[in-house]
């Protein structure tokens, strides 16, 4: 471990923005040639008939087409195609899968319109779909709104599609997206359409109007978010940061102040073991405490002031430490562990 209490200058890499762009191909599940009203084509495991998608076996799915202005067959909420994740005849659920390029550390959102197929089940039957993104997954249960016991006069109600979304942070450069029905021994599973994956842009988390304290805002943050603090003096509330995050005052360094008691035992901010990405401090005053401690990731400090701290900025670089940038910061009357302070 290398111990430093001085400012280092390292250029930060820029990243491209793709917010709002669908990273999936053919999210509407279109393709093929439509036939009769309400028709479908059963596709077995391994099929690539749906452009850009693979049927992830061993079970099949039904590729369903709509008929424009049809009474019961106009069921697709987007385009003319949808997929029932349970193939015919009645069997356990199948799955659709597509692999996309992702950037490690960035956050993504998968979104899909879904409907519990009322075929072969009473109204009110629960049917579940699993969405898997890389190594993480979540289960989502819908209830049939029509079914074999319906006496409404219209066999099916296709108007009640539900938007299902989940977010995850990419850990690899490619991520497999899978939609799988968990419905067993039934020809009607979960119908899906209008599928998208988008990069989630950074958010502003406001202290104290949204979150009472800095630790609460950090705990709620996602990679690349920004914690914005209103002008005022805040208590010394130590917090560890493990992902890219910006913490900044809303006006300037002398207006957003963290002031300790003079004998604090923990740093205000710690980029600790397991930290990745860049932590940015901007327009923050840190005084009468133990400053900032960095061991992993990288640090950027801009227009900050460190005053009367036992240690203003202590860098104990582990192997994953990638550098620090100190820009227009002031260091006044800070002590240290026998090391001059910047």
């Amino acid at each position: 471990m290398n111990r430093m209490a001085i400012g280092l200058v390292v250029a930060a890499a820029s990243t491209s923005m793709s917010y709002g762009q669908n990273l999936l191909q053919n999210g509407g599940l279109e393709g093929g040639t439509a036939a009769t009203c309400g028709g479908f084509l059963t596709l077995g495991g391994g099929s690539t008939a749906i452009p850009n998608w693979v049927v992830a076996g061993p079970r099949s799915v039904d590729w369903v087409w709509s008929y424009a202005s049809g009474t019961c067959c106009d069921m697709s909420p987007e385009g003319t195609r949808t997929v029932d994740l349970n193939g015919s005849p009645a069997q356990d659920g199948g799955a659709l899968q597509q692999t996309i390029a992702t950037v490690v550390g960035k956050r993504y959102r998968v979104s899909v319109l879904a409907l519990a197929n009322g075929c072969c089940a009473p109204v009110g039957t629960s049917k579940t779909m699993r969405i898997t993104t890389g190594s993480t997954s979540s289960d989502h249960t819908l209830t049939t709104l029509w079914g074999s016991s319906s006496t409404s006069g219209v066999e099916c109600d296709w108007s009640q599609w539900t938007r299902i979304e989940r977010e995850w942070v990419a850990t690899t450069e490619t991520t497999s997206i899978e939609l799988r029905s968990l419905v067993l021994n039934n020809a009607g599973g979960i119908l899906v359409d209008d599928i998208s994956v988008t990069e989630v842009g950074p958010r502003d988390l406001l202290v104290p109007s949204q979150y009472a304290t800095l630790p609460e805002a950090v705990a709620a943050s996602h990679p690349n978010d920004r914690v914005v603090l209103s002008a005022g003096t805040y208590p010394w509330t130590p917090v560890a940061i493990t992902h890219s995050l910006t913490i900044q005052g809303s006006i300037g360094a002398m207006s957003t102040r963290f002031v300790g008691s003079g004998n604090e035992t923990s740093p205000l901010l710690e980029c600790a073991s397991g930290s990745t990405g860049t932590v940015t401090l901007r327009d923050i005053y840190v005084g009468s405490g133990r400053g900032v401690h960095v061991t992993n990731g990288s640090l950027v400090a801009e227009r900050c002031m460190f005053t009367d701290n036992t240690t203003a900025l202590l860098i104990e670089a582990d192997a994953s430490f990638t550098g620090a940038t100190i820009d227009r910061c002031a260091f006044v009357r800070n002590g240290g562990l026998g090391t001059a302070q910047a």
Side-chain angles (χ1 to χ4, degrees):
M1 177 180 289
N2 298 320
R3 173 169 289 177
M4 293 169 283
I6 58 174
L8 304 180
V9 179
V10 178
S14 62
T15 56
S16 61
M17 300 292 184
S18 58
Y19 310 134
Q21 174 187 348
N22 190 357
L23 304 179
L24 288 172
Q25 301 295 316
N26 190 24
L29 307 170
E30 304 300 321
T33 301
T36 59
C37 173
F40 61 85
L41 179 64
T42 299
L43 305 175
S47 172
T48 57
I50 304 175
N52 306 108
W53 293 91
V54 176
V55 177
R59 302 300 184 181
S60 63
V61 302
D62 285 343
W63 194 18
V64 186
W65 50 77
S66 305
Y67 180 80
S69 71
T71 303
C72 178
C73 307
D74 189 20
M75 52 188 142
S76 176
E78 186 274 337
T80 61
R81 288 285 202 168
T82 185
V83 166
D84 187 335
L85 295 176
N86 276 54
S88 299
Q91 58 177 279
D92 296 347
L96 286 179
Q97 191 177 84
Q98 185 175 145
T99 299
I100 63 171
T102 49
V103 177
V104 174
K106 287 189 177 293
R107 193 169 190 87
Y108 297 87
R109 178 185 298 119
V110 58
S111 177
V112 55
L113 279 175
L115 179 71
N117 192 340
C119 175
C120 312
V123 173
T125 299
S126 296
K127 297 189 176 185
T128 301
M129 170 178 65
R130 176 168 294 163
I131 302 177
T132 300
T133 50
S135 60
T136 63
S137 64
S138 57
D139 293 349
H140 307 269
T141 299
L142 300 173
T143 301
T144 57
L145 303 174
W146 58 273
S148 56
S149 64
S150 176
T151 58
S152 63
V154 178
E155 181 188 1
C156 51
D157 177 5
W158 301 102
S159 65
Q160 302 299 315
W161 290 77
T162 298
R163 175 69 64 182
I164 295 174
E165 296 182 336
R166 76 177 304 271
E167 295 184 6
W168 83 100
V169 176
T171 57
T172 56
E173 294 180 350
T174 60
T175 300
S176 174
I177 311 299
E178 182 182 276
L179 309 177
R180 179 176 294 274
S181 171
L182 301 183
V183 180
L184 303 179
N185 194 32
N186 196 300
I190 299 285
L191 289 152
V192 295
D193 199 3
D194 193 22
I195 311 164
S196 65
V197 172
T198 54
E199 183 182 334
V200 179
R203 306 167 301 158
D204 281 351
L205 288 73
L206 308 181
V207 177
S209 60
Q210 291 179 328
Y211 300 91
T213 66
L214 174 62
E216 288 180 27
V218 170
S221 68
H222 297 156
N224 304 311
D225 282 348
R226 187 174 65 159
V227 175
V228 181
L229 298 113
S230 295
T233 299
Y234 293 87
W236 195 267
T237 50
V239 62
I241 302 174
T242 58
H243 54 253
S244 292
L245 186 67
T246 295
I247 298 174
Q248 74 173 62
S250 58
I251 300 177
M254 296 307 295
S255 298
T256 303
R257 304 163 61 90
F258 287 90
V259 180
S261 63
N263 58 357
E264 302 293 342
T265 59
S266 299
L268 177 66
L269 302 174
E270 183 164 14
C271 304
S273 177
S275 299
T276 59
T278 300
V279 173
T280 299
L281 305 181
R282 184 178 295 128
D283 296 325
I284 298 291
Y285 174 95
V286 180
S288 301
R290 288 201 63 186
V292 175
H293 184 206
V294 181
T295 58
N296 294 71
S298 62
L299 174 73
V300 174
E302 298 176 350
R303 301 187 300 273
C304 293
M305 187 168 187
F306 298 82
T307 301
D308 296 322
N309 295 283
T310 54
T311 302
L313 173 58
L314 178 61
I315 299 175
E316 296 183 296
D318 285 346
S320 60
F321 174 72
T322 56
T325 300
I326 310 301
D327 181 15
R328 291 166 290 171
C329 292
F331 295 82
V332 181
R333 296 188 304 272
N334 296 290
L337 302 175
T339 308
Q341 302 298 300

